[in-house]
Amino acid sequence: MPTIVVDVMPKAELLDPQGKATTGALARLGHEKFENVRIGKRFEFQVAGEVTDAVLDEVRQVADDILSNGVIEDVVAISVDGVQVSADASVADAPAGEGR
């Protein structure tokens, strides 16, 4: 059963309070190498059947309309079984045997 993953992150130009708090906590714990942590959301969809262009179009619509708040968040990645699919690419562009 194929899995589609959608990653949503706060827009780069906006403050990420959770990320800032995590960055501070890491520094206090001695992990000063990490200067900017950003925290987002990950959604996983298991799909019954083949992942077609129509299914990907539907996932993109759901991601834009329901999973993210377009004012403050961006859908940064959509992948099928670990193969990233760009906003306008189809699964047919994925390497053979992957993404379906």
Side-chain angles (χ1 to χ4, degrees):
M1 188 172 292
T3 300
I4 299 175
V5 175
V6 177
D7 292 313
V8 176
M9 294 294 291
K11 289 189 179 284
E13 61 271 12
L14 297 179
L15 176 66
D16 177 2
Q18 288 179 303
K20 186 172 182 165
T22 301
T23 302
L26 288 170
R28 287 190 300 279
L29 294 171
H31 302 284
E32 294 90 11
K33 292 180 188 173
F34 307 109
E35 296 179 355
N36 187 20
V37 176
R38 296 193 58 80
I39 296 177
K41 302 182 283 190
R42 174 186 171 110
F43 300 90
E44 293 185 2
F45 299 86
Q46 289 196 332
V47 180
E50 184 177 348
V51 178
T52 63
D53 288 342
V55 170
L56 285 175
D57 288 342
E58 188 172 353
V59 165
R60 288 182 189 102
Q61 182 178 1
V62 167
D64 289 338
D65 295 347
I66 298 170
L67 305 180
S68 66
N69 176 341
V71 175
I72 60 171
E73 297 173 316
D74 289 322
V75 177
V76 295
I78 297 175
S79 62
V80 179
D81 289 338
V83 177
Q84 188 163 338
V85 180
S86 70
D88 55 2
S90 69
V91 196
D93 296 331
E98 297 182 27
R100 293 195 188 251

